[in-house]
Amino acid sequence: MTIPAYTGLQSALRGLEANQAGIDTTGHNIANANTPGYTRQSVDLTEAASLTIPAFSNVTGGGVQLGQGVDVTTISRIRDQFLDIQYRAQNSNSSNAQTQSSVLGDVQTAVDEPSTSGISAAMSKFWSAWSALGNSPSSPSAQQAVISAGQTLAQTFNSVDSQMATVQSQASDQYNTLTAAGGQVSQYADQIAALNTQISEATQAGQSPNDLLDQRDELLDKLSGLAQISVTQQSDGTDTVKFGDAASPLVSGSTVTWPQTLTSASGGQLGALLGLSSPSGQIGTLRTALSGVAGQVISAVNALQPASSPFFSGNSASTIAVSATTSTITASSSTGSGDIAQSVAALSGGAPDQGFSAFVGQVGNAVSSAQSSAATGSSVLSAIDNQRQSVSGVSLDEEMTNLITFQRGYEASARMMSTIDSVLNTLINNTGAGL
């Protein structure tokens, strides 16, 4: 068996095609160096199938296998799935902490302590007004000052509780917006399902849909910020995505199952919003504590007034109000003594003030803990992302080196083809010319 005349040309052509694929892929990497979610691609090369020539050698009688160049097997993405899992889990944790930090920061703003217009200042002025009344128990202006100071205190309790309730309601509204039809969860799920269909078709056709896979991974990263996700890749290239602690997959092939029931254990932004908006969540607990302080003020002051004419009505921060008038205030147990008013004034620094100080500390601790968790979560997420980028990100220096390498390979293959062409031209046109 002889060697086919055009084997060398075919080898040179394969070299041209392989290096051209390398140049094109490198150019694609460079063009997408700053594209969010893009994964660096690489041309996978392998030796072309050898040409077997039996009994080639007159000396040994043995055959040989003649190499026929190179083949492009695939263009693959350089990606670490383990880092993807780590990133998405941490993204969920970080988003959860960031959301809690932001919302609880709004609660701290509502409490507004220390300040000259907060509950602490209003309580101090209230006790001082009673002290002044104790010194002038029959003074109409002192009596009115007590009523006014009590109304200011009650209204401040009402206002702070109302603002906290608004923050709590806003957390619920934000959750409903994200999970509603056409919300972010639905949008991401629909896009992932559509990409699943395209990826499955390309995979079954024997293609590597790298750019589509990048788009799907980018959506999965975003989805993980809303809640914890679990991704299982199927044999047809599609992803099955479980979302939060929902019972059914959010996405399975081209099918989206939404809405589903989530709990605060779902993690991510949605888990945080569910916990913050729940009556038994952090904001609900803080509102209960504030109402406890208001209840202490109500019971302590009313205990020093006649049961038939309590100073305060209500039993919580949202319902506390002044029911007394200047004519129903009792300042003295005996004419002109002012002893009852002084007893109310003596409540300053007692259980109500201590209860409010504890409440402020509770708010501060909750915010501080959330901010610390958010900062730590962001730092860990950044570290994992840096690891991912070191594997999957595009290095322009490296790509320029690859570009030069493939360019030189292309030029060498072209020179080889030109040389073989010249040899064949000589063989065909000049052999036997002198006969």
Side-chain angles (χ1 to χ4, degrees), residues 104-157:
L104 290 175
D106 292 339
V107 171
Q108 189 175 47
T109 300
V111 173
D112 192 26
E113 292 290 344
S115 74
T116 59
S117 59
I119 291 175
S120 180
M123 288 176 69
S124 178
K125 292 175 182 177
F126 181 63
W127 306 134
S128 295
W130 278 100
S131 179
L133 179 61
N135 294 328
S136 304
S138 60
S139 168
S141 62
Q143 292 169 353
Q144 184 57 50
V146 167
I147 295 295
S148 297
Q151 290 173 336
T152 298
L153 176 59
Q155 291 166 3
T156 306
F157 268 114

Side-chain angles (χ1 to χ4, degrees), residues 8-138:
L9 283 175
Q10 288 295 330
S11 296
L13 177 60
R14 287 193 177 96
L16 285 173
E17 292 173 338
N19 285 288
Q20 182 64 59
I23 291 171
D24 292 341
T25 302
T26 301
H28 188 53
N29 287 340
I30 293 171
N32 287 280
N34 297 315
T35 300
Y38 179 76
T39 303
R40 177 167 58 93
Q41 297 180 14
S42 175
V43 176
D44 297 328
L45 304 176
T46 187
E47 297 169 344
S50 299
L51 175 65
T52 301
I53 305 174
F56 181 82
S57 174
N58 291 326
V59 177
T60 64
V64 297
Q65 287 191 333
L66 179 64
Q68 298 191 89
V70 64
D71 277 335
V72 176
T73 55
T74 186
I75 298 175
S76 59
R77 298 192 305 157
I78 309 301
R79 198 167 183 109
D80 189 327
Q81 290 186 349
F82 177 70
L83 287 176
D84 284 341
I85 294 172
Q86 280 192 309
Y87 178 87
R88 290 163 187 163
Q90 184 56 39
N91 191 35
S92 177
N93 294 336
S94 180
S95 180
N96 184 283
Q98 292 285 354
T99 301
Q100 292 194 49
S101 175
S102 175
V103 175
L104 290 175
D106 292 339
V107 171
Q108 189 175 47
T109 300
V111 173
D112 192 26
E113 292 290 344
S115 74
T116 59
S117 59
I119 291 175
S120 180
M123 288 176 69
S124 178
K125 292 175 182 177
F126 181 63
W127 306 134
S128 295
W130 278 100
S131 179
L133 179 61
N135 294 328
S136 304
S138 60

